Structures are given as structure tokens and as C-alpha cells.
Amino acid sequence: MKNLISLKAIALFVSMLACSVTFSGCSDEDSDSIQAEVVFPSDVNLTKIDQWESSIELEQQGTNIPIEIKSNSEWEIYFSFDDERYFCLTYPNEGVGDATVNLCVFNNPTDERCTGKMYIVFPKDLGKSHIVQLSQKGDIDNDDNFETPVPGMYCPGCKGFIPVGPQQL
């Protein structure tokens, strides 16, 4: 009888030990919150639509806008352009951790506005991703004294002058 009690105690102890080892070794990395913040310069004409979406109205002349990504995870940026009129790009367009991303906007030598969306995606937590609606002015938005820019732009983050307009990319 003493052996039976001792055997039950050992079995109970072994099962408790197995459970404690099993549960203490588990970790749920997906439940850890990732840091994912996108910061635009204060002089950018940014309008917040909601927590995940904003819009920017860009001038007709090309420019470079530094965007700060503050993250402890991977991120990537991609675009969708209306009428397939490519008018900007980012460099770099993907990474891990904190980074300064250059949004390089080309000159718009046309009458029409260029529009599209920029998606800043955090694959490990898609709920922290951002959508930025982009709208770049055209000749129609400017007064008669405006001189149409030369197609292309100098993009410091992209390493030089990009001699193309939105129709040519």
C-alpha cells in the first residue's frame, strides 16, 4: 500500500513538473506589441483622416520629404497610382527598425493633378499600417505666372536627378 501511495505521488509530481516545463517554455511572440509610428515633417500639408489614414497635398514642383519610421519590426512601403501616372517613389522602400525614408516627388509638368496612395505596412501587425492619400497639383491649380517645371527632379535620397515626368515612368 505504501508503494502505491508513493507511486501515485511520483506520478502526480512528474505530471506537475511536465506541465510547468511545458507552460513556462511557451511564449507568444505575436502577442508582443510592436512599435510602429510614422512621422512626417511639420511643414508637410498632412491631413489626418482617421487613425490609419491621412492625406497629403503635394506642390507641382518636385521635392524630397523625409519620413521618420519608428519601429522595432520590419516595414515596407508600396504605392498605387491612379491612371498609372507614377509621380513619386520612396528610398528605401523596406527595412527593419527605425529609418528615415525619403519620399521623392517628381515634377508634374501636366495640367492634371496626379493622385495615388502610399501604403506603409508593418507585416507583423497589419493593424498598425498606414495609408496616405497623395494628390499632386498640376498646371490647372496654379496662377498664370507659374512657370512649368522641367520634367524630373533632384532627389537627394535617390542619389541624383531623375529626368522623367509622371507619364514616362
Side-chain angles (χ1 to χ4, degrees):
M1 183 74 159
K2 205 174 199 181
N3 274 344
L4 186 59
I5 293 173
S6 178
L7 196 54
K8 281 184 175 180
I10 291 173
L12 181 62
F13 176 73
V14 168
S15 12
M16 287 175 60
L17 181 62
C19 284
S20 68
V21 169
T22 301
F23 290 121
S24 67
C26 290
S27 72
D28 187 2
E29 291 180 20
D30 291 338
S31 69
D32 292 343
S33 180
I34 69 161
Q35 178 187 3
E37 184 180 2
V38 179
V39 181
F40 287 86
S42 59
D43 61 341
V44 170
N45 188 9
L46 182 74
T47 302
K48 191 169 185 169
I49 296 170
D50 61 31
Q51 182 179 353
W52 302 277
E53 193 164 2
S54 303
S55 68
I56 297 177
E57 183 172 79
L58 302 163
E59 294 300 321
Q60 184 175 11
Q61 294 179 315
T63 189
N64 181 57
I65 301 171
I67 303 168
E68 293 297 322
I69 295 185
K70 298 179 182 180
S71 179
N72 59 356
S73 182
E74 61 190 80
W75 50 269
E76 56 190 43
I77 300 173
Y78 62 96
F79 294 88
S80 67
F81 296 102
D82 299 337
D83 301 325
E84 296 184 25
R85 294 175 62 194
Y86 299 84
F87 60 93
C88 61
L89 58 86
T90 53
Y91 181 82
N93 61 354
E94 64 182 3
V96 177
D98 295 346
T100 299
V101 173
N102 291 296
L103 173 61
C104 300
V105 181
F106 309 129
N107 288 332
N108 179 6
T110 69
D111 287 337
E112 296 85 27
R113 281 181 171 256
C114 294
T115 57
K117 291 184 179 181
M118 175 173 62
Y119 301 88
I120 304 169
V121 178
F122 298 92
K124 290 191 177 180
D125 189 348
L126 293 176
K128 296 195 176 183
S129 297
H130 298 272
I131 299 172
V132 181
Q133 297 178 10
L134 303 169
S135 178
Q136 183 185 25
K137 293 179 179 181
D139 279 343
I140 202 161
D141 296 308
N142 295 301
D143 63 26
D144 294 333
N145 298 326
F146 183 80
E147 187 175 310
T148 302
V150 174
M153 69 159 286
Y154 178 74
C155 182
C158 306
K159 310 282 191 247
F161 187 79
I162 302 170
V164 295
Q167 316 299 11
Q168 298 168 326
L169 277 175

